[in-house]
Amino acid sequence: MRILGKARLRLRSLCRRPNVDFELEAELRFHLDQLIEENISSGMPPEEARRAAQRMIGGIAQHKEECRDMRRVNFVEDLVQDIRYTIRSLAKSPGFTGVVVATLALGIGANTAIFTIVHGVLLRPLDYPKPDQLMYLAAESPATGDTRNPLSAPEYAEFRQMNQSFAAVGAYSTGGAAYTTGEVNLTAGDRPLRVRSISVDAHLLKALSIQPEQGRFFSDEETARWTGTLPPPIAILSHELWRTAFGGRSLVGQKVEIEGRLHEIVGIMPPGADVMDNQTQVWLPLWLHPSTARQRGVHVLYVIARLKDGVTFEAAQTELNAFIKDWGERVGTKDHVPTNNPVRAVDHTLQLQALQDAIVGSSSRQIWVLQAAVGFVLLIVCANLANLVMARAGSRRREFVLRTALGASRGRLLRQSVTEGAVMSGAGGILGLWLASAGVRALIRAYPTSIPRTSELTIDLPVLLVALGLSTGTALLFGFVSLGRGRTSMATALKEGARGASGAWRHYARRGLVTAQVAFAVMLVIGAGLLVRTVYNLTRIDAGFDRSRLVTFSMTLPMANSDPDTRAQAYQRVLDRLRSVPGVLGTVAMSGLPPDRTPDAVATPVENYTSDDGRPFAIVDYYQFVMGDYFGTMGIPIVAGRGFERTDNASQGKVAIVNETLAKRIWKGQNPIGQRLRPPGGSFGATDDVWHTVIGVAKDVRQRGVERPAGTELYVSLDQHGVSPPSMNVVMRTTLPPAALSGTVQRVVREVDAAVPVVRLRDMDSVFAESIRRPRLLAQLLGAFAGLALLLAAIGTYGVLSYMVTERRREIGIRVALGATRCNVLTQIMKQGLQVTMLGVTIGLAGALAVNRLIASLLFGVQPTDIVTIAFVIATITAVAVIASWLPAWRASRLDPNVVLRDE
Amino acid sequence: MAKPTDLVQGTLDLLILKTLSLEPKHGWAIGKRIQQVSEEALRIQQGSLYPALHRLEQQAWIEAEWRPTETGRMAKFYSLTRSGRKQLERELANWARLSTAINIVVQEA
């Protein structure tokens, strides 16, 4: 009660201040009148009585102030006063304010933006109930370096039965079954779309514990009984696709054409529902061809499992290890089971991983590197601000001293400084937050697939708290930097007067700050330099073909309503029509588009061959089914034998071309020409497996990322077989840009099949850019941050030197008067600037060598200690330092001793 | 905030509370009353009295009300609240202890 009462009174004092003041005035006036009356009644003349009374009670104003002090609302009043004063005084020096607020906004903005990513991608739990119970089970083959591979169907079934640790174990697939590429054709109204799909079983939906927004999920029946030749025609749409493609109209129970067949829509997912950041638009029932489902060697299923309540990750891992130890005995086969000791390329083991780690994967390190980089930028920003504030505090010395002399307490002055800091960092913070949100949005728009979980990125409460913390921290820094300055006694300060001579510690502090700035900038610029070199190296890689003036698109003729030979004819028609377009020099089609395609890893029988593990077949990493003059149009050199020729089409003997890696790995120095392999006909639509004779060896082409060494590759000519797999990539050698070809391509494809969408029409340079998007994004961001750091360090150096020149005008004037030449002055000042910079460069270099190991795994073709990069960075920083020091030094050398000495 | 006062530190509050315990009074009357009762020994300066009144009001030990005086002028009358009465008891007890203790020391010497 009492506390409430008091609060009410204080609130009254604050809110109704004019009223309270008026009351106080009246109360004191009453007292004064009483005193006058008393004086008069004791016999004084009225005028004298009044004067005596006033003398007696002293200044009314002072009493009022004391009474108000008693009411304890001064703090708030002072704050309002401070803020007003601050805004006035900041408005008077717009240059200073502008630099501070802009610097702060950049520092806070960069940090908030990156922290938004750190928080949204790495820290925030997944959007499933109890997300830490979700585990990802993957196959690993250390011998081939493959991690996070899918499991085979028998393995999945066995693990489901054996385990005791998991409440639910489910599987999904994005390829390898009826829907091969993780994308399907879908007709919305009369619009053909290509949408992202995933095939899931009922167990997976149970494990993830997601509920459909409308309709139902797939049943066990629908996703586990794999019979016939095609999966059951049912589908669930994502909320987003349902809204955008179908306008949100009632759809459950209706039929929609997917991959050439009518599918019943059984449900709609809630907004944002997804698996493994797949950006799923259509959910299809998991289905495997019965023969595929029996093979242990065919790894097609990705497995996600939910731990039982109370079971730890370690317990589940221990259980899994026990299974792997005697998996073979448990299931009664020695053939291709997981092993704890995988030594050969065909061996694999199983690895459990938290689902979140599996989703974020390798980008985690890149994001932390960025966070560290912006952390450095913030430190540089703080050092710069501290320097600026010190300089400003120096020039406002007299103001502070005067205020102290007029009775301002030290606490009161500190409060004023902190308020100044708070106003500026508040402005910087708000501006920074705006920059951050704009930046994150632009980033996602520019690189939609480079950062995982982007659909969930928002600036939410924890991010806001971090931004707030950054602003508060800098505000306090401001206050205390000014406070440190205020320590000199009033008397000294007044005596020193306008000269503002300063203690040595302040010189050291300011130079120390510049040294630190330069050191951090050096570390950042070296890091950025290494990544820029990495990207340069990646773009310079010879992928094995001539990428210039190539335009590509992809299309899919669904398996359900086409057969291999009608597909081949349809593709042939598309190719023929495109060849007749003016400006198109050559047109070919291929099943997998280099340099970034998924591997096939097909077991291929080879004549007179035994593999390391005693089998008569080799695993071929990539199958490339081609149409047209493939090698000529793509510019892939044939290093031995010959390429496909028109005459092959009519000949009976089937021919194949291998790449250098395959030739070396299988035939080890023997002549590959004339050797025979038997690719499974099912993989490209042929009815049976026939022997193919090798007629040529092609130069290696990078298939799965430009930075990865080429695998083994086998080329088969579809023109010879007259069949085609459902999805093909068309590539045109042309003088025209993709935009100019777009209309023609759309028309040609529509004429051949109106239900087939043209997908990803773009030039080959874009395909390459896309394949190295992550390192490029990292290099660009880091480069921007490094540039910012460099700029800030330059401003810092310049600021400190100019301030020093201003402070030492007199000394310089005297020296010039005593005969120092302009050149002497110039070199002296510049020497001081460069000394500070060089110290910073040395420290930064040591720091860079210490921490650059951490980014070694992100580099390509360049060592963390790359001497060229380091030399270049040192040269750049030195050049920047020379410019930053030259300006104040030049100004010092122009000082006219007459003017300077008269001023003093 | 050192204020020159002839009073023993902290006793002004006690005097005000005691004076108000009989009936509500305005500031001028409080000062006069203390002066009279103490036979002119204690003169409360305006500079001490009003801040003290405001402080006590802030503590919610006294409350204020504008009322006309006998002469018809409006003045701010202070009166004791219930918690003020309790505070008065505490301060009286304190004072009793303190003055006894001082007396003992003074007489011993």
Side-chain angles (χ1 to χ4, degrees):
Chain A
M1 263 318 282
R2 257 190 67 197
I3 292 176
L4 271 182
K6 271 195 245 177
R8 191 176 50 82
L9 278 170
R10 286 197 193 154
L11 204 61
R12 192 178 79 117
S13 316
L14 193 62
C15 304
R16 298 178 36 221
R17 190 173 154 181
N19 227 343
V20 172
D21 269 353
F22 177 76
E23 276 187 18
L24 198 54
E25 173 99 38
E27 189 177 16
L28 293 175
R29 181 69 52 198
F30 174 75
H31 189 98
L32 185 68
D33 290 347
Q34 292 292 31
L35 201 55
I36 295 168
E37 235 166 79
E38 194 184 61
N39 285 346
I40 293 175
S41 61
S42 71
M44 271 189 216
E47 202 39 47
E48 198 180 324
R50 176 172 300 274
R51 244 179 290 127
Q54 267 166 356
R55 225 179 8 253
M56 209 160 154
I57 64 168
I60 282 200
Q62 193 195 334
H63 291 311
K64 281 201 318 210
E65 195 58 42
E66 276 171 14
C67 289
R68 225 182 285 129
D69 269 347
M70 286 303 155
R71 289 188 174 268
R72 309 255 178 88
V73 293
N74 269 11
F75 180 79
V76 184
E77 282 170 22
D78 287 350
L79 188 68
V80 172
Q81 197 186 358
D82 280 350
I83 290 178
R84 276 203 205 126
Y85 180 78
T86 299
I87 291 175
R88 270 207 311 274
S89 78
L90 290 183
K92 253 187 260 165
S93 43
F96 168 80
T97 314
V99 168
V100 169
V101 171
T103 315
L104 265 174
L106 286 174
I108 293 178
N111 271 274
T112 311
I114 298 302
F115 184 73
T116 304
I117 295 174
V118 167
H119 175 255
V121 176
L122 303 181
L123 305 181
R124 207 162 38 93
L126 299 174
D127 274 341
Y128 303 109
K130 296 194 188 167
D132 45 342
Q133 287 183 336
L134 290 171
M135 297 290 145
Y136 185 74
L137 183 65
E140 287 192 355
S141 316
T144 59
D146 280 340
T147 57
R148 302 180 55 194
N149 276 350
L151 274 64
S152 68
E155 252 167 39
Y156 164 58
E158 286 152 14
F159 180 74
R160 282 179 52 81
Q161 285 190 334
M162 286 193 277
N163 89 87
Q164 302 290 318
S165 306
F166 293 97
V169 181
Y172 73 91
S173 154
T174 53
Y179 311 108
T180 47
T181 55
E183 289 181 341
V184 291
N185 291 354
L186 179 145
T187 310
D190 54 357
R191 216 153 39 106
L193 299 174
R194 188 79 178 155
V195 297
R196 296 190 61 84
S197 69
I198 194 166
S199 302
V200 299
D201 69 359
H203 299 291
L204 183 82
L205 301 173
K206 245 175 269 165
L208 294 176
S209 327
I210 35 182
Q211 296 293 327
E213 185 180 62
Q214 298 170 31
R216 62 169 181 93
F217 276 149
F218 307 132
S219 65
D220 276 357
E221 284 290 283
E222 290 162 332
T223 58
R225 187 181 291 165
W226 299 328
T227 52
T229 53
L230 286 171
I234 51 174
I236 299 176
L237 297 188
S238 78
H239 178 88
E240 293 74 16
L241 182 69
W242 173 58
R243 305 285 311 187
T244 55
F246 297 95
R249 66 184 160 89
S250 164
L251 207 62
V252 173
Q254 312 245 352
K255 306 242 165 165
V256 167
E257 190 182 305
I258 296 172
E259 287 285 279
R261 280 195 304 157
L262 285 177
H263 284 57
E264 183 188 339
I265 304 301
V266 298
I268 308 286
M269 281 290 183
D274 199 3
V275 179
M276 289 304 279
D277 210 33
N278 183 55
Q279 304 184 327
T280 305
Q281 293 170 292
V282 166
W283 305 64
L284 299 162
L286 182 67
W287 184 87
L288 296 180
H289 196 279
S291 71
T292 312
R294 281 192 302 272
Q295 287 180 37
R296 309 194 68 90
V298 181
H299 285 233
V300 284
L301 296 181
Y302 296 92
V303 176
I304 292 174
R306 180 180 284 279
L307 287 172
K308 284 180 181 160
D309 284 332
V311 177
T312 62
F313 173 80
E314 288 75 22
Q317 182 71 56
T318 314
E319 189 193 57
L320 177 66
N321 285 341
F323 293 157
I324 298 177
K325 203 170 285 168
D326 55 356
W327 196 298
E329 282 95 87
R330 279 169 190 265
V331 302
T333 174
K334 283 264 162 230
D335 182 44
H336 205 87
V337 290
T339 164
N340 270 331
N341 186 24
V343 284
R344 301 169 305 171
V346 293
D347 293 338
H348 71 281
T349 185
L350 297 182
Q351 200 66 46
L352 212 52
Q353 195 183 12
L355 185 62
Q356 180 151 6
D357 296 343
I359 291 177
V360 172
S362 60
S363 49
S364 147
R365 179 172 290 257
Q366 303 176 7
I367 294 174
W368 283 120
V369 163
L370 283 177
Q371 180 65 74
V374 288
F376 281 175
V377 170
L378 190 67
L379 286 175
I380 297 175
V381 164
C382 285
N384 232 357
L385 293 182
N387 253 336
L388 274 172
V389 171
M390 270 203 231
R392 184 171 152 88
S395 57
R396 285 173 69 188
R397 197 178 180 73
R398 273 161 71 88
E399 178 199 327
F400 276 108
V401 170
L402 199 62
R403 291 176 61 178
T404 313
L406 289 178
S409 70
R410 217 164 127 51
R412 187 73 185 70
L413 286 182
L414 172 62
R415 209 152 69 200
Q416 161 82 49
S417 316
V418 174
T419 310
E420 246 175 53
V423 167
M424 281 192 285
S425 42
I430 291 170
L431 212 59
L433 216 54
W434 177 79
L435 275 180
S437 98
V440 168
R441 258 184 285 131
L443 203 62
I444 295 173
R445 211 174 315 120
Y447 292 90
T449 55
S450 301
I451 309 166
R453 302 179 70 193
T454 44
S455 58
E456 304 166 32
L457 280 187
T458 46
I459 294 188
D460 49 12
L461 190 65
V463 176
L464 282 177
L465 286 180
V466 166
L468 189 70
L470 290 177
S471 306
T472 317
T474 39
L476 287 179
L477 175 95
F478 268 97
F480 283 100
V481 166
S482 304
L483 171 80
R485 190 224 58 79
R487 199 160 283 156
T488 36
S489 84
M490 204 164 91
T492 353
L494 277 178
K495 253 191 300 189
E496 285 165 355
R499 278 208 307 280
S502 49
W505 74 270
R506 227 150 38 91
H507 271 307
Y508 286 122
R510 305 197 63 195
R511 284 189 210 177
L513 285 172
V514 172
T515 309
Q517 279 185 335
V518 173
F520 282 130
V522 167
M523 291 169 72
L524 265 183
V525 177
I526 290 183
L530 291 172
L531 277 154
V532 169
R533 293 262 313 205
T534 294
V535 171
Y536 178 75
N537 290 343
L538 288 175
T539 55
R540 296 277 302 192
I541 290 174
D542 177 12
F545 63 96
D546 174 14
R547 75 172 82 152
S548 65
R549 296 179 296 129
L550 286 184
V551 170
T552 169
F553 68 92
S554 107
M555 55 184 286
T556 300
L557 297 163
M559 229 192 269
N561 61 354
S562 65
D563 48 47
D565 33 329
T566 57
R567 281 199 294 266
Q569 289 154 18
Y571 280 121
Q572 205 55 62
R573 280 204 297 279
V574 170
L575 296 186
D576 285 342
R577 287 180 197 190
L578 287 175
R579 279 182 193 127
S580 65
V581 173
V584 174
L585 311 174
T587 306
V588 293
M590 70 200 83
S591 54
L593 187 70
D596 204 5
R597 56 174 291 204
T598 48
D600 303 307
V602 189
T604 311
V606 182
E607 204 174 43
N608 307 321
Y609 171 79
T610 314
S611 71
D612 294 342
D613 57 338
R615 291 160 200 269
F617 56 79
I619 304 287
V620 175
D621 299 326
Y622 306 99
Y623 270 20
Q624 189 70 287
F625 307 112
V626 303
M627 301 175 104
D629 178 19
Y630 185 73
F631 298 96
T633 304
M634 290 288 282
I636 302 171
I638 298 289
V639 293
R642 61 173 178 90
F644 296 124
E645 279 163 16
R646 248 171 222 288
T647 49
D648 294 328
N649 298 354
S651 88
Q652 279 303 311
K654 304 299 181 202
V655 293
I657 290 172
V658 298
N659 73 345
E660 290 172 299
T661 303
L662 188 142
K664 247 177 271 161
R665 203 169 290 167
I666 295 185
W667 293 294
K668 301 189 178 69
Q670 288 174 275
N671 184 8
I673 310 292
Q675 305 277 6
R676 300 209 300 164
L677 313 101
R678 196 175 58 190
S683 58
F684 56 98
T687 40
D688 40 29
D689 304 359
V690 293
W691 288 102
H692 286 58
T693 307
V694 176
I695 53 163
V697 177
K699 204 181 141 195
D700 281 347
V701 173
R702 304 287 167 107
Q703 299 283 338
R704 196 185 178 186
V706 284
E707 75 282 13
R708 293 207 197 193
T712 50
E713 185 169 15
L714 176 70
Y715 295 91
V716 172
S717 165
L718 293 176
D719 295 338
Q720 193 180 28
H721 290 271
V723 293
S724 163
S727 289
M728 291 294 275
N729 298 283
V730 177
V731 168
M732 292 166 272
R733 176 79 62 187
T734 170
T735 51
L736 301 172
L741 279 167
S742 172
T744 316
V745 169
Q746 301 275 2
R747 185 175 45 78
V748 165
V749 172
R750 197 169 45 238
E751 279 166 12
V752 170
D753 189 337
V756 171
V758 171
V759 182
R760 285 185 288 274
L761 175 73
R762 55 200 172 154
D763 57 18
M764 193 53 88
D765 287 333
S766 316
V767 180
F768 272 78
E770 172 83 8
S771 78
I772 58 166
R773 61 196 189 274
R774 279 199 184 175
R776 216 162 42 124
L777 173 61
L778 188 64
Q780 285 176 349
L781 286 179
L782 216 53
F785 295 148
L788 188 60
L790 202 58
L791 180 70
L792 291 173
I795 293 176
T797 312
Y798 168 79
V800 165
L801 282 185
S802 333
Y803 186 67
M804 194 180 75
V805 168
T806 318
E807 275 191 330
R808 287 171 51 185
R809 273 162 61 93
R810 215 158 96 101
E811 180 206 317
I812 295 168
I814 292 172
R815 290 164 61 116
V816 174
L818 289 179
T821 62
R822 296 203 186 293
C823 187
N824 290 144
V825 175
L826 191 80
T827 37
Q828 190 215 355
I829 304 278
M830 283 199 61
K831 215 170 78 188
Q832 290 194 338
L834 292 182
Q835 270 170 357
V836 172
T837 315
M838 282 310 129
L839 185 62
V841 168
T842 315
I843 296 174
L845 215 53
L849 292 180
V851 302
N852 274 357
R853 274 176 301 120
L854 298 178
I855 60 166
S857 66
L858 305 177
L859 302 181
F860 179 83
V862 56
Q863 288 301 310
T865 52
D866 182 56
I867 203 77
V868 179
T869 309
I870 290 174
F872 180 75
V873 168
I874 292 179
T876 310
I877 300 234
T878 311
V880 170
V882 166
I883 296 168
S885 327
W886 184 80
L887 218 57
W890 182 80
R891 218 181 287 147
S893 72
R894 297 286 120 176
L895 281 179
D896 182 344
N898 285 321
V899 177
V900 173
L901 295 178
R902 207 175 318 120
D903 275 358
E904 296 288 324
Chain B
M1 226 173 294
K3 285 192 195 69
T5 171
D6 297 329
L7 295 170
V8 178
Q9 193 81 45
T11 49
L12 180 58
D13 287 4
L14 172 60
L15 292 179
I16 294 174
L17 292 175
K18 177 69 193 170
T19 311
L20 287 178
S21 70
L22 303 174
E23 52 170 354
K25 284 185 183 61
H26 48 71
W28 169 261
I30 294 169
K32 275 283 153 221
R33 169 83 190 168
I34 293 173
Q35 205 172 328
Q36 276 166 16
V37 173
S38 67
E39 294 166 351
E40 308 288 323
L42 296 174
R43 273 174 175 273
I44 312 295
Q45 293 297 314
Q46 184 194 4
S48 315
L49 178 63
Y50 285 95
L53 282 172
H54 283 260
R55 188 178 61 240
L56 292 175
E57 191 189 353
Q58 234 15 242
Q59 299 289 335
W61 288 329
I62 60 176
E63 55 192 6
E65 192 189 3
W66 285 89
R67 280 213 311 250
T69 63
E70 310 95 77
T71 60
R73 252 196 88 164
M74 293 300 284
K76 198 177 179 190
F77 279 77
Y78 293 92
S79 59
L80 221 52
T81 61
R82 193 166 341 152
S83 68
R85 215 163 277 286
K86 279 193 201 126
Q87 178 65 15
L88 174 60
E89 277 160 32
R90 274 196 296 273
E91 297 238 336
L92 279 174
N94 263 344
W95 174 250
R97 245 180 339 138
L98 187 64
S99 57
T100 319
I102 291 174
N103 274 334
I104 293 170
V105 175
V106 173
Q107 277 154 21
E108 274 290 304

